[in-house]
Amino acid sequence: MHKNLLKTLFLLYFFSFNTYLLSTVPPKFSIKTLNIKGVAIELIIDDIDGDGAEDILAVSSLSHFPASRSERIISLFKQKAGTFHLSPDATRSLDWEEVIFDIGDIDNDRIKELLFIKRDGVYFNKPCDLKTGKRARLLIKTNSLITSSDPSRIFRYHFIRDLDCDGRDEILIPQPEQFYVFSQSGKNVYTLTQRLWISPEFIIDKNEGVKFLYTLPNLIQADFNGDGRSDMLVINSEQIDIFLHQIPDTSINIIPLTPPLYRYWMGMKNVHSSVFESAAPPSVSIEPVDLDGNGYVDVVVSRAARGGFTKNISQIQIYMNRSGHYDTNPNHILTAENFNGEHIICDFNRDGLLDIGLLTLRTGFIHTAEFLLTKKVGYKYQFYLMREDRTFPKIPDGSISFSRRVSIADIMNASLLSSTDGDFNGDGIKDLIVPTDENEFTIFPGDERKIFTKKNSIKIEVHLSNHFCITDLNNDGISDIILWYTESKTMGDKIVLIQSKVGDYR
């Protein structure tokens, strides 16, 4: 008995000591460059082949002068033993009839298929088809609102969804003022089961004759009414349509058109417009998220003044879900000067409630002089922690300041992509990663008392990009970073992996 007790105490000491070392000794990172054909447009990080390890699916575009259209390419990098080949394991050039695409397991064999919407229906490829060059096969014969391709790229649109929560994906096909919903009725057999009525957003463009531009709505699955099942939120500009979870009646021959149960207009309230907004309208974004963890999805709306943003107050407006409905006016409003819309939502203090961080640009004589001398722009994140009564404070609970070196040509671009999605030191606390130089990321570790701290910060030198993803590729408990370079003339055909290398602490 004493031997077992001593063994248990030794194991507890070993694991706690190892965790302590991981949290105090920053891990090393290795940088690896993958090569693709063309310029990377989008990356999808997912377990494509069903082996339990995340793979990389790269969508790229290659111009052939003087052709008016670019070659559109999909490349697959399979992860093996925590690493990737420098070149793709499989590639395929896309047909021009393939307009938009998505990935999903349509036959429940754990292997993700690539689905393409064409003018006459939905087609699919197996991952192995990319290597053999096999063309996509017809899955659903139907018309679609999307009939022509972008001449330079292909877009991913999330039209594969498990709407009825039965473990099998449905396929949503956009139509004029509605979505066709097809459900699986057999292996690779899909039947029309629902028609969801929506109000699409059309824009008339008169620059080249009269042209109607259609914007696909953002589809979000979340629990709206707290019944533990996913509902569908259809977001068009500043409007949200709510379709509650339902199991379609497959016994009827005529599928009725289902209207949304609720429609909410999330236009910003109590905001005084400025003369700048006629030239540059404010940017509005809608983000559904369960802030207080009660099972009801809330809504965070940000309004950033794009015209003269350094002179205007912008807002984060929060609509708390009250047992399946939103109030007409926001329940909370957070304001910030020199705010360009960038914010992060995260449980900073690990109390089960989500908090909000607003990114602001530091202005004034001192910071202007600093830029002229050092070419660095000053930023500050202000953190607002949700209270136990589900309210936010009027003044921030903490902040962290940092500078970023930028070129003179980019001085008016205040946008700065940052993330709290990763844990880069293995202590179980989310860290803040921001670009702080033209070729440098800085990681500020999460801290129990200060939210984030500059102590033991990690700097990673790499060619920066506004396009990156944070995930744990090799499942070692330390987050990794994947970058691609859509706007770069020299790095467009590169994918850069920054992977952790946990040191030997024995």
Side-chain angles (χ1 to χ4, degrees):
M1 179 176 180
H2 292 292
K3 290 183 178 180
N4 291 334
L5 179 62
L6 289 174
K7 183 178 180 181
T8 302
L9 291 174
F10 173 77
L11 290 174
L12 289 172
Y13 170 78
F14 174 79
F15 286 116
S16 62
F17 182 69
N18 191 50
T19 302
Y20 168 77
L21 285 174
L22 281 174
S23 61
T24 55
V25 180
K28 296 180 180 179
F29 290 87
S30 64
I31 298 179
K32 186 175 184 178
T33 302
L34 311 182
N35 301 291
I36 61 172
K37 187 179 179 182
V39 176
I41 302 298
E42 184 176 5
L43 256 62
I44 299 171
I45 315 299
D46 204 339
D47 180 12
I48 304 295
D49 54 7
D51 64 354
E54 289 186 316
D55 308 303
I56 299 175
L57 192 69
V59 183
S60 60
S61 178
L62 179 62
S63 299
H64 298 280
F65 183 81
S68 59
R69 290 182 172 183
S70 301
E71 181 183 2
R72 304 174 307 161
I73 306 164
I74 285 186
S75 303
L76 175 61
F77 293 85
K78 292 185 179 181
Q79 182 178 178
K80 299 296 181 184
T83 188
F84 297 86
H85 292 141
L86 298 183
S87 56
D89 296 280
T91 62
R92 179 169 86 79
S93 294
L94 302 179
D95 296 334
W96 285 110
E97 292 79 13
E98 295 165 338
V99 183
I100 56 178
F101 82 101
D102 198 4
I103 64 171
D105 183 7
I106 60 172
D107 52 9
N108 307 306
D109 63 353
R110 297 179 56 200
I111 297 176
K112 301 288 178 63
E113 284 78 35
L114 280 77
L115 272 69
F116 303 91
I117 291 183
K118 295 186 179 183
R119 180 190 296 267
D120 61 344
V122 180
Y123 292 71
F124 75 97
N125 265 137
K126 288 282 190 180
C128 58
D129 295 338
L130 301 181
K131 194 168 186 178
T132 61
K134 191 173 184 179
R135 298 291 92 183
R137 288 158 279 176
L138 180 65
L139 179 67
I140 299 173
K141 182 72 173 178
T142 183
N143 295 327
S144 170
L145 177 67
I146 312 299
T147 58
S148 59
S149 300
D150 186 289
S152 61
R153 59 181 293 178
I154 187 170
F155 294 89
R156 182 190 185 186
Y157 185 65
H158 295 272
F159 59 84
I160 304 176
R161 305 273 180 164
D162 183 8
L163 296 183
D164 52 10
C165 305
D166 65 348
R168 297 181 298 178
D169 288 332
E170 279 71 46
I171 297 176
L172 289 83
I173 310 299
Q175 302 288 340
E177 299 188 334
Q178 61 182 299
F179 272 102
Y180 283 173
V181 179
F182 289 85
S183 301
Q184 188 174 356
S185 56
K187 185 175 181 180
N188 292 344
V189 178
Y190 281 79
T191 306
L192 179 65
T193 55
Q194 295 183 71
R195 294 164 58 220
L196 305 181
W197 180 76
I198 62 170
S199 297
E201 184 179 11
F202 287 97
I203 299 175
I204 300 178
D205 184 5
K206 297 181 180 179
N207 293 330
E208 298 179 4
V210 178
K211 189 165 50 176
F212 289 92
L213 304 178
Y214 174 76
T215 302
L216 287 170
N218 188 18
L219 305 179
I220 301 293
Q221 280 185 265
D223 188 356
F224 175 76
N225 58 353
D227 64 355
R229 299 180 298 183
S230 292
D231 307 305
M232 176 64 73
L233 281 66
V234 180
I235 302 176
N236 257 314
S237 185
E238 301 175 29
Q239 173 185 297
I240 299 181
D241 287 343
I242 311 292
F243 293 89
L244 292 186
H245 175 277
Q246 60 179 319
I247 299 177
D249 185 359
T250 57
S251 63
I252 56 179
N253 295 325
I254 300 176
I255 308 300
L257 189 62
T258 303
L261 184 62
Y262 300 104
R263 171 168 291 171
Y264 290 97
W265 175 256
M266 293 296 180
M268 299 296 287
K269 310 293 192 306
N270 303 323
V271 177
H272 298 289
S273 61
S274 72
V275 294
F276 295 98
E277 292 185 0
S278 59
S283 170
V284 177
S285 67
I286 298 176
E287 189 172 358
V289 60
D290 183 5
L291 292 171
D292 54 3
N294 65 351
Y296 294 88
V297 63
D298 311 302
V299 174
V300 177
V301 183
S302 68
R303 179 187 189 279
R306 296 298 180 183
F309 70 90
T310 59
K311 303 176 183 178
N312 293 278
I313 295 178
S314 299
Q315 298 188 358
I316 290 285
Q317 296 191 352
I318 300 167
Y319 294 81
M320 302 299 294
N321 193 317
R322 305 298 190 189
S323 300
H325 79 275
Y326 302 117
D327 294 335
T328 303
N329 294 316
N331 304 104
H332 310 290
I333 298 177
L334 305 179
T335 61
E337 294 183 357
N338 311 326
F339 171 60
N340 201 36
E342 283 77 8
H343 64 279
I344 49 180
I345 301 176
C346 181
D347 183 5
F348 298 128
N349 56 352
R350 300 199 294 174
D351 63 351
L353 305 174
L354 296 184
D355 313 303
I356 295 178
L358 303 184
L359 179 67
T360 59
L361 178 69
R362 292 185 291 166
T363 60
F365 175 78
I366 295 177
H367 299 296
T368 301
E370 178 185 5
F371 170 75
L372 294 175
L373 292 174
T374 65
K375 300 298 184 290
K376 288 186 176 182
V377 175
Y379 296 89
K380 178 188 286 188
Y381 258 114
Q382 297 178 330
F383 303 109
Y384 297 82
L385 305 182
M386 179 179 274
R387 303 297 193 252
E388 291 184 1
D389 62 356
R390 276 45 178 176
T391 63
F392 287 90
K394 294 182 179 179
I395 59 176
D397 295 282
S399 64
I400 189 168
S401 301
F402 57 95
S403 298
R404 176 176 68 131
R405 188 184 301 274
V406 298
S407 63
I408 296 178
D410 295 331
I411 184 59
M412 293 307 296
N413 181 16
S415 178
L416 182 144
L417 294 181
S418 55
S419 175
T420 54
D421 291 337
D423 174 15
F424 295 92
N425 55 9
D427 62 356
I429 304 176
K430 296 295 186 181
D431 306 317
L432 172 64
I433 178 171
V434 296
T436 50
D437 209 331
E438 293 177 346
N439 293 288
E440 178 187 86
F441 274 117
T442 298
I443 301 169
F444 299 114
D447 186 88
E448 293 284 1
R449 295 173 300 172
K450 300 179 180 179
I451 304 178
F452 295 106
T453 178
K454 295 183 179 180
K455 185 179 180 181
N456 297 325
S457 62
I458 304 171
K459 295 186 181 297
I460 300 177
E461 294 185 3
V462 67
H463 191 84
L464 293 187
S465 173
N466 285 336
H467 305 282
F468 66 92
C469 174
I470 296 176
T471 185
D472 185 3
L473 282 172
N474 46 13
N475 295 316
D476 63 355
I478 308 294
S479 296
D480 310 305
I481 308 172
I482 307 170
L483 303 100
W484 63 101
Y485 305 87
T486 303
E487 286 84 18
S488 175
K489 295 181 179 179
T490 58
M491 294 286 292
D493 60 346
K494 309 295 182 187
I495 299 171
V496 175
L497 307 184
I498 305 174
Q499 289 188 267
S500 60
K501 295 172 62 178
V502 180
D504 187 355
Y505 301 116
R506 291 176 296 178

